Amino acid sequence: MAEKCILFMARTTRFHEFARTLTQSLGVEVSLATPDSPNAAHDFDLLMLDGDGIRNDRIDQIAKWLEDRGGIPMLVIVDDETLPSLRLPAHSRSDFICASASPAELEARARRLMGDDDSFNLDDILHIDNLVINLATYQVYLDDEPVDLTLMEYSLLSFLATHPNRAYSREVLLHRVWGFEYCGGTRTVDVHIRRIRSKVGPQIAAHITTVRGVGYLFKD
């Protein structure tokens, strides 16, 4: 991976050292920029973006800028508390990493986005009728059109779809998908299920079954 360059875009210096760990682990150059002054003086192979204070519409604009530069991939660093509101652009080559992640995870995600990881395979693509879930890129397509899911909606849908024919309680779904006891209570699962059903259409929504007194089940 020699000669490759990563552009790290951030408004603060809080993750500069974290980003620079890639200089040694991957042998790449790490250059700095800000979201308000993104123009790079030279080409780069991956954009790392500190998502702190960056709205989703600005992330969309940055993704379009990267597309105009030849489809450069993007890795967004997200604070754990803002993870539920993150939306990655559907047609971009993008991924996210939590701010609490280790340098080893940062290396693995950067390596995959730059095409130096051969771990991707057909098992990462899940086909359900006219729906396609790409488990490697966190993207969902319905009749070849992207479905605009929030990260939590995607996480809930992909979890249920990859664990079919088994009923899960709302409490278990909160633990398995959100990873913590959500302060809004278990009814937030119902809200997310309702939004997912409205976005994926009646054919796919019919796979998501409400189990009275328990929770939800995905029928394959």
Side-chain angles (χ1 to χ4, degrees):
M1 295 182 60
E3 308 300 327
K4 288 193 174 183
C5 178
I6 293 174
L7 181 66
F8 180 56
M9 189 179 288
R11 286 177 171 160
T12 70
T13 62
R14 63 177 188 154
F15 290 131
H16 279 188
E17 292 306 313
F18 187 47
R20 285 179 172 140
T21 62
L22 296 174
T23 300
Q24 293 186 336
S25 62
L26 295 182
V28 298
E29 177 187 354
V30 177
S31 300
L32 304 177
T34 71
D36 304 309
S37 301
N39 293 326
H42 51 78
D43 292 335
F44 55 95
D45 303 281
L46 171 67
L47 174 71
M48 283 180 55
L49 173 66
D50 181 358
D52 182 37
I54 310 297
R55 300 190 320 186
N56 285 319
D57 59 348
R58 180 58 181 147
I59 293 178
D60 287 338
Q61 293 172 358
I62 293 171
K64 291 176 182 177
W65 174 68
L66 293 173
E67 185 64 27
D68 291 340
R69 294 181 67 97
I72 297 171
M74 173 172 60
L75 180 62
V76 183
I77 304 177
V78 187
D79 289 302
D80 294 47
E81 61 269 23
T82 62
L83 187 59
S85 62
L86 174 67
R87 288 189 182 181
L88 294 178
H91 279 303
S92 69
R93 293 171 54 203
S94 57
D95 197 356
F96 74 93
I97 186 171
C98 290
S100 57
S102 66
E105 181 178 350
L106 176 64
E107 176 189 350
R109 292 185 183 271
R111 187 185 296 277
R112 184 180 67 81
L113 283 171
M114 289 193 291
D116 291 277
D117 184 358
D118 297 327
S119 62
F120 179 84
N121 56 63
L122 292 177
D123 291 338
D124 292 320
I125 306 295
L126 184 61
H127 294 267
I128 305 160
D129 296 342
N130 57 337
L131 187 80
V132 175
I133 302 176
N134 189 320
L135 301 172
T137 64
Y138 304 91
Q139 293 170 313
V140 178
Y141 295 90
L142 184 68
D143 292 323
D144 296 323
E145 293 295 326
V147 181
D148 185 19
L149 299 177
T150 66
L151 183 60
M152 287 297 101
E153 289 165 359
Y154 164 83
S155 298
L156 181 56
L157 174 62
S158 62
F159 176 80
L160 288 171
T162 54
H163 298 80
N165 304 319
R166 176 176 176 180
Y168 289 93
S169 69
R170 294 172 178 85
E171 291 81 4
V172 169
L173 289 172
L174 280 175
H175 176 72
R176 296 291 297 270
V177 176
W178 276 257
F180 54 88
E181 291 299 326
Y182 184 70
C183 62
T186 58
R187 305 308 292 184
T188 191
V189 177
D190 300 330
V191 173
H192 281 74
I193 289 289
R194 184 166 62 250
R195 290 173 179 170
I196 291 169
R197 284 171 169 162
S198 69
K199 292 179 179 182
V200 298
Q203 183 176 352
I204 301 301
H207 287 269
I208 306 172
T209 302
T210 302
V211 181
R212 188 176 300 274
V214 180
Y216 296 96
L217 173 150
F218 194 95
K219 297 185 298 183
D220 61 9

